[in-house]
Amino acid sequence: MIYRIEYSAVQSLIEALHERKYTVIGPIRREGSIVYDELQSSVDLPKGWTDEQGPGYYRTRERSDGALFGFSVGPHSWKKYLYPPILKLVVAARKVKGFAVSNWNTAEEEQKPLAFLGVRPCELAAITIQDKVFGSGDYQDPNYKKVRDKLFVVAVNCSSSAETCFCNSMGTGPKARGKFDLALTEILEKTVPYYLVEVGSTRGQEVLAGLAHRPAERSELERGEEIIGHVAKEMKRSIDTSGIKELLYSSAEHREWEKVGERCLTCANCTMVCPTCFCNTVEDSTDLSGSEAVRTRKWDSCFTLDFSYIHGGSVRTSAKARYRQWMTHKLAAWIDQFGTSGCVGCGRCITWCPVGIDITDEARVVRENNV
């Protein structure tokens, strides 16, 4: 069953989540970008704002209506809340005899559960992928699972796409699939939106029960499907994923790697904004008095020279080798590791690359000129 709620019910939704002791995280406009941060009310949402994106280009501009979710995705992904950029793992404090070692996160006061409001379909797919990386198999990340297991997800289907989006070809959008509690479709009625709501869990049903809602009419359902279908058709970019793993494995010496390596700055922007990249490094540090030592996990990137450093030097010294490693892992080796592509088609790596390198172009050139 799909329901309709009005514009005012978004505020009621945020209040209902607060009443259930969730910290609500959602999109806000700050310093010229639409980013994710804590929401106190619906007033914090980027009402009437959209974004313009292209290779190496991002701007926000005002819309002529009151849409709350009339934009694509910005530089932040939800990854920073589930898999923080900097995380203390262990603290060792000197005692009179020996050390007292504690897991930092279990020692902290219990964190309030998080509710994500405004998760795009491609980002929902990214969370599902990271669930496989951190939450399944023999080696699971307890820090990730502690946040993820309590997470409430309000997805928002796409009503428009950025120039850099290609989720349709990756099978991850523009309609939300997978695990969510509620999924919204924003529909403008003149200049004021209303929302179709799909329920994905018992928790979602309980929250919706406290909001003013009614079953959606057939014409409203058709309008919602029309919007999502239009977004899928208007996407300008795509990746042909047929046989992509075998293609990239057989193309290690392709001449395109040399060409893209001449452009790549190895700045790691693509991996920092990617919602699925998980490379990290672990650092040990001691205070000046020598009384406390801390082990910290930090985001890292396969584009940094030190990431592949072993005794005797770095394995991948050139930009060519590092870009090849990133793209081959993302689109091929990830399938072997986790049974899925590591790319969800959000387009962030294209938008936030300073020189506008386009993964969809690179995949096309490798396929068309396979040697």
Side-chain angles (χ1 to χ4, degrees):
M1 178 70 76
I2 296 178
Y3 304 89
R4 170 174 169 160
I5 62 172
E6 304 304 322
Y7 172 82
S8 59
V10 176
Q11 171 62 25
S12 300
L13 171 60
I14 295 173
E15 291 174 355
L17 293 170
H18 283 154
E19 289 172 2
R20 288 166 171 76
K21 307 303 181 184
Y22 286 102
T23 296
V24 182
I25 309 295
I28 66 169
R29 184 174 178 272
R30 185 172 63 212
E31 297 178 355
S33 299
I34 296 175
V35 299
Y36 299 136
D37 209 336
E38 185 172 351
L39 300 177
Q40 300 301 328
S41 75
S42 61
V43 175
D44 298 328
L45 293 167
K47 178 182 177 180
W49 285 92
T50 190
D51 51 16
E52 296 176 348
Q53 301 190 41
Y57 179 86
Y58 178 93
R59 296 290 187 276
T60 55
R61 64 172 175 80
E62 289 189 80
R63 295 168 57 109
S64 59
D65 54 50
L68 296 177
F69 303 101
F71 52 88
S72 181
V73 293
H76 287 181
S77 72
W78 304 98
K79 176 176 74 173
K80 74 171 189 172
Y81 295 101
L82 293 166
Y83 170 55
I86 301 175
L87 181 69
K88 287 183 181 179
L89 299 175
V90 175
V91 176
R94 183 188 293 274
K95 301 297 181 181
V96 176
K97 293 183 179 181
F99 291 87
V101 180
S102 62
N103 181 307
W104 177 263
N105 293 289
T106 57
E108 283 185 321
E109 182 180 344
E110 188 67 20
Q111 181 184 4
K112 290 174 64 177
L114 299 181
F116 291 169
L117 172 60
V119 179
R120 296 298 183 180
C122 62
E123 299 179 307
L124 184 63
I127 293 172
T128 302
I129 290 171
Q130 288 218 316
D131 286 347
K132 294 183 178 181
V133 175
F134 295 116
S136 64
D138 295 333
Y139 304 99
Q140 301 180 15
D141 183 345
N143 299 300
Y144 179 91
K145 287 180 65 64
K146 183 170 65 174
V147 180
R148 180 68 176 100
D149 290 347
K150 298 178 181 178
L151 181 65
F152 190 99
V153 175
V154 181
V156 174
N157 294 319
C158 295
S159 56
S160 63
S161 67
E163 183 188 327
T164 51
C165 292
F166 58 100
C167 67
N168 190 46
S169 66
M170 303 307 295
T172 59
K175 181 178 175 60
R177 304 179 182 92
K179 295 180 181 180
F180 56 79
D181 295 290
L182 297 172
L184 310 182
T185 302
E186 185 170 58
I187 300 178
L188 287 169
E189 196 167 53
K190 295 182 178 179
T191 60
V192 179
Y194 67 88
Y195 301 88
L196 301 182
V197 185
E198 181 180 356
V199 177
S201 73
T202 301
R203 291 187 306 175
Q205 187 69 61
E206 291 170 354
V207 170
L208 180 64
L211 311 179
H213 66 284
R214 63 164 172 80
E217 297 175 359
R218 182 174 179 179
S219 61
E220 294 164 344
L221 295 174
E222 290 174 349
R223 178 62 178 142
E225 291 301 320
E226 178 186 343
I227 289 171
I228 295 170
H230 177 72
V231 174
K233 290 178 182 178
E234 74 175 0
M235 288 189 195
K236 300 177 181 179
R237 284 174 164 78
S238 64
I239 289 182
D240 180 357
T241 59
S242 59
I244 190 74
K245 182 181 75 170
E246 293 75 18
L247 172 68
L248 288 172
Y249 281 167
S250 65
S251 303
E253 300 304 321
H254 198 288
R255 57 182 176 271
E256 182 63 17
W257 303 126
E258 195 71 49
K259 292 181 180 179
V260 73
E262 292 173 356
R263 298 172 59 202
C264 179
L265 304 177
T266 65
C267 66
N269 263 20
C270 54
T271 57
M272 295 297 104
V273 298
C274 177
T276 65
C277 277
F278 58 85
C279 290
N280 64 79
T281 187
V282 176
E283 298 179 356
D284 291 332
S285 59
T286 307
D287 65 7
L288 293 177
S289 69
S291 61
E292 184 176 270
V294 179
R295 174 162 291 178
T296 306
R297 186 185 72 190
K298 297 181 179 180
W299 285 1
D300 202 349
S301 171
C302 56
F303 280 94
T304 62
L305 189 61
D306 286 344
F307 188 76
S308 65
Y309 182 88
I310 57 175
H311 180 68
S314 177
V315 173
R316 290 181 286 273
T317 58
S318 66
K320 164 191 169 181
R322 280 176 259 169
Y323 188 89
R324 179 179 58 196
Q325 156 66 21
W326 172 73
M327 183 168 156
T328 302
H329 186 210
K330 184 67 61 178
L331 296 177
W334 212 300
I335 297 173
D336 283 334
Q337 288 179 285
F338 308 111
T340 181
S341 172
C343 176
V344 295
C346 68
R348 284 184 173 98
C349 60
I350 305 171
T351 297
W352 297 97
C353 175
V355 295
I357 294 173
D358 185 338
I359 189 174
T360 66
D361 279 346
E362 300 306 321
R364 176 182 53 79
V365 170
V366 171
R367 184 178 291 279
E368 292 177 355
N369 302 291
N370 193 28
V371 292

